[in-house]
Amino acid sequence: MNFSALFTTHRATIIQFLKFGTVGALGFVLDRSLYFFGRDALGCGAYGSAYFSFPFVVAFTWIGNRLFTFRGQSTGSIHEQAMKFFAVCAVGLVLNRGTFSALTYMLPLVRDYPTLGLLAGTGAGMFFNFFLSRRLVFR
């Protein structure tokens, strides 16, 4: 396989995906921080804290992706775009938090180190969210 030709053909998409990943990495830091805040300060528990952070992270990543990843590629009203992004992320949440919940339930290591579950969930939802965001939200 010729990776140089593959990169050349899909250069814009690859760069966009790396930008999306950068915003996602920052969102992960926020997610992790809010998870522990919800668990330790608010007493939401492991699962409740995982869902507590969701709307904050979605708002943060929508703004980041609007301004950085998909700058100048948005159509429609800002409210419509935000609602579409939230809907895409809500579906991605099933993959993200489903992975987190399953791993937390099944693996003592993840129960002891929930960041591992949050990271696995983020990875599970990232590809889904990128492609739907690209096709449905920021087009």
Side-chain angles (χ1 to χ4, degrees):
M1 175 177 252
N2 185 343
F3 288 106
S4 178
L6 183 66
F7 181 79
T8 302
T9 303
H10 300 287
R11 183 178 189 275
T13 302
I14 292 168
I15 290 170
Q16 204 171 50
F17 182 75
L18 292 173
K19 287 181 173 184
F20 190 84
T22 300
V23 172
L26 295 171
F28 176 77
V29 171
L30 178 63
D31 190 22
R32 185 180 183 282
S33 300
L34 290 172
Y35 169 83
F36 285 109
F37 175 74
R39 188 189 74 179
D40 299 338
L42 301 179
C44 295
Y47 298 110
S49 297
Y51 293 96
F52 162 74
S53 64
F54 176 72
F56 300 102
V57 174
V58 169
F60 174 83
T61 55
W62 171 67
I63 292 167
N65 283 312
R66 180 177 170 80
L67 297 176
F68 179 62
T69 308
F70 300 104
R71 184 179 197 103
Q73 295 180 341
S74 35
T75 60
S77 76
I78 193 168
H79 297 98
E80 179 184 329
Q81 184 186 73
M83 295 314 300
K84 284 181 182 179
F85 188 75
F86 191 93
V88 164
C89 289
V91 175
L93 178 71
V94 173
L95 293 170
N96 185 318
R97 294 313 194 224
T99 300
F100 169 83
S101 297
L103 292 175
T104 300
Y105 178 77
M106 294 185 303
L107 301 174
L109 178 68
V110 177
R111 276 193 297 278
D112 293 341
Y113 300 98
T115 299
L116 296 174
L118 292 170
L119 189 58
T122 298
M126 185 172 145
F127 290 99
F128 175 85
N129 284 351
F130 172 72
F131 288 106
L132 280 185
S133 291
R134 191 167 192 258
R135 298 247 186 254
L136 300 176
V137 180
F138 301 102
R139 50 185 172 95

